[in-house]
Amino acid sequence: MSNKSILKSSSLDFLKTYLNNASPTGFEAEGQKLWMEYIKPYVDTFITDTYGTAVGVINPDEPYRVVIEGHSDEISWYVNYITDNGLIYVIRNGGSDHQIAPSKRVNIHTKKGIVVGVFGWPAIHTRNRDKEENPKISNLFIDIGCETKEQVEKMGVHVGCVITYPDEFIIMNENKFVCRAIDNRMGGFMIAEVARLLHENKKKLPFGLYITNSVQEEVGLRGAEMITKTIKPNAAIITDVCHDTSTPMIDVKIEGEIKMGKGPVITYAPAVQNNLRELILNTAMENEIPFQRMASSRVTGTDTDAFAYSNGGVASALISLPLRYMHTTVEMVHREDVENVIKLIYESLLNMKNNETFSYFK
């Protein structure tokens, strides 16, 4: 594959639409519909499951099955309690960051449509008379402009409504993609682009390919845990985000040295099958795709763990995208890294043999 950009303007149009659409954990269906519509021309059929994971399948009749996977859900909040004077208290849905919430605008999703609100916060003038209090779940509240609980409920807001941030996709300095929910809708985008490239380049794989956009990763890898039992894959390549550690207040001795713009990140971890990882590393070197290395003790914290330890053991590997400001509304990645993750997955698939066991005991 050449070094020229592989992202078409139509690809970026889809990415913008896909990122701007809310897809909170447990409520991913509308985003999944957008994703399935985009990859429909590039796959033979689809699998979906009860909780909303979507899988585009190429060569569904082949017995040897390879998964490429990202997750579709984003962190969010739930309405947890409504006060008599119309303020709303929340709990997390996934790993939402309480420190970034004050003064953020929010969308509350109701059966009547979106209700706009704000995370209120006391003015600085009123906070400096004694020990200043930090944001925490117990003191975060949303104001939707109502004066009573009855007004709130009349607008369709009730306990259990899910809440997202409205922050939308922008491109900064020509090559930095910025948005909420890049973790990990960018993964879904990248595997969709792999499907597009296989189709446009008329590549015929000798095995079945299961392009998997899992739900509910942010609450414990649950969508992957479910769908791997349905697919029963022989191998899986997972893509997710990891931390760019070059920004302030991050200790590289603990988090490792990773920088966006320096290429995809290939992980070493117990859940990563060594022979599959080496195939990916060799593919990167053969194709002059820049890459970085990362070590994860015990677990990767990604859907890799769910696939690896399923079905008696599935050869699994993780290719990560360096990201700044994870679980904020200004998550940032480098366009070249996005393209190189796509290239690396694509070329790795072309290097995979049918019926490969990846056994250590050949």
Side-chain angles (χ1 to χ4, degrees):
M1 186 178 290
S2 70
N3 290 323
K4 69 178 183 179
S5 175
I6 59 173
L7 298 182
K8 293 182 171 183
S9 59
S10 57
S11 301
L12 294 178
D13 288 343
F14 165 66
L15 176 61
K16 180 178 180 180
T17 301
Y18 188 47
L19 282 171
N20 288 351
N21 174 79
S23 188
T25 300
F27 301 84
E28 302 94 343
E30 294 309 309
Q32 295 290 63
K33 291 173 187 176
L34 291 172
W35 183 83
M36 292 170 71
E37 185 64 27
Y38 181 71
I39 70 163
K40 188 175 181 179
Y42 315 131
V43 300
D44 297 323
T45 190
F46 285 100
I47 297 171
T48 57
D49 72 7
T50 307
Y51 279 86
T53 290
V55 186
V57 186
I58 298 173
N59 300 335
D61 296 329
E62 292 295 334
Y64 189 84
R65 300 176 175 188
V66 176
V67 161
I68 57 174
E69 193 260 10
H71 73 82
S72 61
D73 57 317
E74 66 180 291
I75 56 172
S76 55
W77 303 93
Y78 278 120
V79 173
N80 188 51
Y81 173 68
I82 303 168
T83 69
D84 290 340
N85 62 341
L87 299 176
I88 297 166
Y89 283 81
V90 300
I91 56 171
R92 292 185 176 99
N93 184 17
S96 299
D97 188 344
H98 54 280
Q99 293 217 24
I100 71 161
S103 84
K104 290 294 297 180
R105 300 182 185 193
V106 297
N107 289 335
I108 305 177
H109 299 260
T110 80
K111 290 181 179 178
K112 295 182 177 181
I114 297 292
V115 173
V116 174
V118 297
F119 271 111
W121 194 244
I124 189 170
H125 316 68
T126 66
R127 302 202 314 267
N128 60 6
R129 297 173 186 172
D130 199 350
K131 184 179 179 182
E132 192 163 53
E133 193 169 1
N134 293 322
K136 50 191 176 183
I137 296 295
S138 60
N139 64 18
L140 287 179
F141 65 91
I142 291 172
D143 188 334
I144 63 171
C146 291
E147 297 170 14
T148 65
K149 181 176 182 179
E150 289 72 23
Q151 288 179 3
V152 172
E153 292 173 338
K154 192 172 182 179
M155 295 180 74
V157 176
H158 55 75
V159 170
C161 284
V162 72
I163 304 155
T164 58
Y165 295 116
D167 301 67
E168 295 194 338
F169 176 68
I170 60 171
I171 298 176
M172 292 199 325
N173 196 23
E174 298 183 351
N175 58 16
K176 309 302 187 304
F177 295 159
V178 178
C179 196
R180 39 150 269 289
I182 285 177
D183 174 12
N184 181 36
R185 280 218 279 299
M186 192 63 77
F189 170 74
M190 292 187 296
I191 59 175
E193 288 298 280
V194 172
R196 176 179 66 80
L197 291 172
L198 289 168
H199 177 83
E200 292 180 354
N201 295 332
K202 296 181 171 56
K203 297 295 184 181
K204 301 296 183 184
L205 297 173
F207 46 75
L209 182 65
Y210 291 71
I211 302 130
T212 303
N213 209 9
S214 297
V215 298
Q216 298 196 27
E217 188 272 350
E218 296 289 357
V219 291
L221 323 181
R222 299 307 188 188
E225 181 183 336
M226 289 183 275
I227 199 65
T228 187
K229 294 173 183 175
T230 300
I231 298 171
K232 295 182 171 59
N234 300 93
I237 298 175
I238 313 305
T239 184
D240 207 325
V241 295
C242 65
H243 301 289
D244 174 325
T245 61
S246 67
T247 55
M249 299 186 288
I250 298 177
D251 188 341
V252 294
K253 295 188 294 297
I254 295 173
E255 301 294 340
E257 188 173 17
I258 301 294
K259 189 173 183 178
M260 69 176 185
K262 298 293 186 181
V265 179
I266 299 173
T267 294
Y268 292 70
V272 172
Q273 213 278 346
N274 297 331
N275 290 335
L276 178 54
R277 185 197 59 244
E278 290 304 303
L279 181 148
I280 293 168
L281 284 166
N282 290 336
T283 299
M285 289 183 275
E286 289 165 7
N287 291 275
E288 298 182 344
I289 299 171
F291 66 90
Q292 305 172 80
R293 290 182 169 94
M294 181 173 70
S296 294
S297 62
R298 297 184 66 83
V299 298
T300 69
T302 72
D303 283 336
T304 311
D305 304 327
F307 277 92
Y309 301 131
S310 71
N311 300 296
V314 173
S316 301
L318 174 60
I319 302 174
S320 298
L321 177 69
L323 175 141
R324 289 182 172 179
Y325 320 124
M326 194 181 296
H327 286 203
T328 73
T329 57
V330 291
E331 294 182 335
M332 181 188 301
V333 295
H334 199 297
R335 176 178 177 143
E336 289 181 10
D337 290 337
V338 172
E339 295 196 354
N340 281 320
V341 169
I342 295 166
K343 290 177 185 177
L344 185 51
I345 297 173
Y346 173 87
E347 296 292 351
S348 295
L349 290 173
L350 297 182
N351 275 347
M352 290 180 71
K353 295 183 175 64
N354 197 23
N355 298 318
E356 175 59 66
T357 65
F358 295 101
S359 173
Y360 298 135
F361 307 108
K362 289 182 179 179

